[in-house]
Each structure stands twice: as structure tokens, then as C-alpha cells.
Amino acid sequence: IHTILDMDKFIWMLAFNNVLVNLDSYSGVFSQNYYLYKDNSNHFNPVIWDLNMSFGGFPFAGSGATGTGSLTVSNMQQLPLTLHSTDSYWPLIKAILNDASYKKMYVAHMRTMLNEFFVNNNYQVTASVLQNLIDTAVVSDTNSFFSHAQFLGALNTNYVVGSYTVPGIGNLMSARVSYLQNTPEFMAVPPTISAVNPSNLSPNLNSTVTITSAVTNATNVYLGYRFNPADKFTKISMFDDGNHNDGIAGDNIYGASIIMSLAQAQYYVYAENATAAIFSPERAEHEFYSLLINLQTPLPGQIVINEFLANNVNDASDDHGNNSDWIELYNTTNDTLSLLGLYLSDNYSNPKKFAFPVNALIYPNSFLIVWADDNSSSGTAIHSNFKLSQNGERILLCDNDTTILDSISYGPQLADQSLARCPNGFGSFVSQAQTTFNALNCPSVAESIEFTKNKIELYPNPASETVTIFIMNAVEENCLQIKNKINELIWYSAAQRWNQIDVSKFESGVYYLSYGNTKKKLVVINP
């Protein structure tokens, strides 16, 4: 099921529905009021809506195919946390509550909600503040479904609505807290997690970082991590065996290592025993710890606007299949540079119009394409929040201090003709009837031969299952090799123009691909 659904989001949704007796939802009789959204990792995510009947405002839990009887206030106060766990008409609930780990995560999220907001009566304080805030508007509302007196009594008074009773919010939740805290699931003692720390607070790109944590009363501990906020978390085991940079075996310090293959890592720790579980931070996966690589702010001239197309009719298409305008950046240095803290804009009065995503990197003497289409970035493709005008405007690249790193103003543009620096990376802008998208601009004959001869592309990189290697002028007599960081040969084959390699059995780490005199770095990340 985890290959189809974002399980953590669905578990949070079901925990919320149960704690707040939100039955005008998937958890209630009509199994409704949520959308499904498939993200770039091909997982479905729930988008919940219509929450106005939480706190028992719609007391219809249902059972089987036709059960629609209303619940009493007592029924709602003691709504079982295992509601529908054996009912085939709620397959999602049945699947989660009959999986030992998923059920413990579900209870852990319920416990977080109770402890943060209901055990301490914070909800009563917040409700009173909101009630005072809108009181005047309620009095003047000629379309309300209730009287002002009912509005004022809603926290602590039960009201009959048609054929059923809606409990006062305080009446419901004070008893509900007591009921849940006395269930066997809530009385089970979860592990403790503390001192979650990385081995290096400012690691270098592609360096190894160990995450350690003090954990007690646990039989299983894992680290959830990701490098791209749009990706799902990868989960790997943490160990207390003395072999994972975790100190002495059996000292309750657990460790696991990751490779900082991009500019940022987001991570959390999960621990469970036979009966209960806990997250750190407790709101994971919605909250998490973050780690940034050691970043150097690019200086003027190190990253330049190299080429752009402001009137794309039949030129390159983006990851959505659209002929969007594009801006090509070029890294003039021999170092990988991060674009975190840099901005693109088409307006000198608003130089920070588009902020680069946290994991935007540009490799040595390489290109980065930004699609200027006022769209959302997805996966590894970068889309700016503005479009280019074919009638002429300006493009500027600046840093966090609004220091201009590069800029250009241009006039009306012809269809499918770009403006490009000539020579590549350093020269003045000239019009090109044939664009050089993601490639050298107006190269000399020697540059063109050398670039074409050595052009190798790897994607995806980092990879976890397969990696595709494109060689512009592949010669089968030449061998394509992959070696590990201690120079051991891991894989080799006669070179093809297109090469697909299964890396699912590779250990996580940095590898080096070579073809002739050209070498490329390949990062593999496997659970």
C-alpha cells in the first residue's frame, strides 16, 4: 500500500478524524470529503475539506453497507479509536489498523494531538479567543443557522439539531481525552527519543553524515530522510551496535549515515516497541529536522545568464510537454555551486521575484535550465514564477543582498531565435537562428569537437533503481566503467549511445563513471 499512497498523510488524516469525531469524512458513514492528488513520485495524497462538522457535528459513523444510525453524545465521547478496523467498507482504515506498525503510528499521531492541544485545554482558550473575535459579525449575520445564544454556549452546551444531539465542544473533548488516555493503546509506554544530532552541522556536498539519537525502550528505530521536499522520505534502520558511528554497542545511542548528495537534507527519527511508537519531532513527517551543506555564495561572473528564448514556438519542450520560454544559466567555474539564496527576476524593482529551490545545484562548466512560464517547479525541473516577454524586457540574477550577479535587457524577439553569449559563458549576447539549448553557444571548431566527443549525460543522478547514461559519440570498442571511491571496478560494459544500468543492488555512496578520458560522478541512494 505504501507504493501507492503517502501513508503518513493518510494516517494523520484518520487520526485527526477519530480524535475530533470528524465523521463528515472518510471515517464516517459516507466516506467522503477528501480529494486524491497524485504527486511527482506517483503516490496519492489526501486533500481534506469540509471540516465544519468536526467535534460531533455529524454523528453518523455507519457500519457495513447501510448502517446510518446517529451516535449519542456518550457514543461520541467514547468513539473507539479502532472504529471500522474490521469493516471491509472502509478498506483504508482496515489496512492501517491491522498493520502493527501503521497502527502504532496512528496512535502516536493521536497522542500528539491530544497532548499538544486538548490535555492542556489549549483548545478552550483558542476557541474563546476566536469566539470573541467574530462575535459582532455573528450578531449581524442574518443568514446564520443558529442563535447568538447558541453560539455563545457552543463550548459547553449540548444542542438538539433535528433528530440528533450535537455536543458542546468542551463537553465532548474533556470526556474524549479521558476515554482515549485509558485505552490499552494509549496506556502502552512508547520509546523515548532525545539528542537527535548530525555528525557535521555544515557538511560538504557528497560527504557522509551520521545522524545519531538517544533512544530507550525500543525494539526498532529508523531514520526517515529526503533531499528534495517534493520527494517521499526514504526510511533506513538505525543501529546501536557500535558499527554505525553510534558509540558503544548497547549504550542506547543509535546511528545511521546518509550522503549529502544535494544541498539540503530533511530527516526525522521513528522508534517503536511491541506496543507503542513515537516520532521525533513528534509532528513528523509534516515537521522534520534540516541540514544544509557548506554553501559558498557565488560571486559575479561565476554563474551567468548564458542564453534565453523569449518566443518559444517550436523549440525545446519542458517536463509538462509545453514549449515554454527558457533561461539557460552557466557555471563558469570548476566547482559545483548551489543556487540557494539566489534569485531571478524580470523586474529591477523586485529583484527577488523568484527564489531558487533549496536543492538547485549547477555543476562545473555546466548548464541549468529555468523554464520561464509562471508555473510550479516539479521534480528536478525548475520553473520560475514569471514569463518572458517577446516584446522585450530584462532578466537579472542577484544574491540575497540584491547584488546583481548578471543581467541583460533585450528588445523584441523573433520566434525560436535565442540570444546567447558568444563565446560561451563570457562573451556578448548575439542572436542565434538555431538555439543551443543546454549546450555550448557558438563554439569554435576545437571546442565543438571536444565538447561533442566528451559529452556524457547521467540521469537521474542521484539514482536508486536505474540510471541512464547517454554518450554523444559512443564507440563500442571503448569500455564504460563504474568504480567505487576506493577505485574498485563495480560494473563495466561496451559503450552504447544509450546505456541503462541497474543500480538497485549498489550500496549507497559515490561512484565514478568513466568513458575514455571523461569521468562523471554518480551518487546512488538505496534503502
Side-chain angles (χ1 to χ4, degrees), residues 28-328:
V29 64
F30 297 129
S31 306
Q32 62 182 0
N33 291 346
Y34 65 96
Y35 293 103
L36 291 176
Y37 170 77
K38 182 183 277 190
D39 61 25
N40 67 296
S41 70
N42 288 322
H43 287 75
F44 285 104
N45 299 258
V47 181
I48 59 174
W49 61 285
D50 201 9
L51 302 178
N52 63 304
M53 290 188 178
S54 300
F55 299 113
F58 186 82
F60 300 99
S63 62
T66 58
T68 57
S70 62
L71 302 176
T72 66
V73 172
S74 178
N75 293 152
M76 289 184 279
Q77 291 169 335
Q78 300 182 37
L79 187 75
L81 63 81
T82 56
L83 179 70
H84 301 315
S85 64
T86 61
D87 199 323
S88 60
Y89 287 93
W90 283 266
L92 177 65
I93 295 177
K94 186 177 180 181
I96 288 174
L97 295 188
N98 285 279
D99 179 283
S101 288
Y102 286 154
K103 182 179 179 182
K104 284 180 279 192
M105 295 176 187
Y106 167 79
V107 174
H109 291 336
M110 293 177 73
R111 183 183 291 111
T112 296
M113 293 180 194
L114 249 63
N115 289 341
E116 287 191 358
F117 209 59
F118 295 102
V119 172
N120 53 19
N121 286 323
N122 274 352
Y123 76 101
Q124 294 258 22
V125 175
T126 301
S128 295
V129 170
L130 295 175
Q131 196 174 49
N132 291 333
L133 179 67
I134 66 172
D135 183 75
T136 301
V138 171
V139 171
S140 61
D141 186 358
T142 58
N143 298 308
S144 65
F145 297 114
F146 43 81
S147 69
H148 185 240
Q150 289 174 317
F151 167 73
L152 294 177
L155 276 175
N156 301 301
T157 304
N158 300 341
Y159 291 106
V160 175
V161 178
S163 62
Y164 58 87
T165 300
V166 176
I169 294 175
N171 295 347
L172 173 69
M173 294 310 299
S174 61
R176 181 129 190 81
V177 168
S178 178
Y179 167 76
L180 289 173
Q181 287 182 326
N182 284 284
T183 60
E185 291 86 354
F186 267 75
M187 293 178 71
V189 180
T192 64
I193 301 175
S194 62
V196 179
N197 293 308
S199 58
N200 189 338
L201 292 173
S202 185
N204 292 324
L205 185 67
N206 292 323
S207 65
T208 298
V209 177
T210 298
I211 308 297
T212 57
S213 180
V215 183
T216 63
N217 189 31
T219 56
N220 180 41
V221 182
Y222 73 61
L223 177 74
Y225 72 94
R226 66 185 179 190
F227 299 109
N228 188 332
D231 291 342
K232 295 291 169 280
F233 282 90
T234 297
K235 297 152 180 91
I236 57 174
S237 295
M238 300 182 73
F239 298 94
D240 178 18
D241 59 3
N243 297 318
H244 291 79
N245 298 319
D246 56 295
I248 302 170
D251 62 354
N252 291 325
I253 303 297
Y254 287 75
S257 297
I258 59 176
I259 297 171
M260 292 295 296
S261 57
L262 288 173
Q264 180 193 51
Q266 298 173 340
Y267 63 95
Y268 66 90
V269 175
Y270 168 82
E272 66 178 12
N273 53 37
T275 57
I278 192 170
F279 292 82
S280 180
E282 288 195 29
R283 293 183 181 184
E285 293 176 343
H286 292 271
E287 292 182 359
F288 36 77
Y289 303 107
S290 294
L291 185 63
L292 282 175
I293 64 170
N294 181 23
L295 298 173
Q296 293 183 346
T297 302
L299 300 174
Q302 292 184 328
I303 299 177
V304 299
I305 300 166
N306 197 50
E307 184 180 5
F308 65 91
L309 180 62
N311 189 358
N312 186 349
V313 178
N314 293 302
D315 196 68
S317 56
D318 63 18
D319 52 318
H320 301 297
N322 300 322
N323 293 112
S324 301
D325 296 341
W326 49 266
I327 302 167
E328 177 190 86

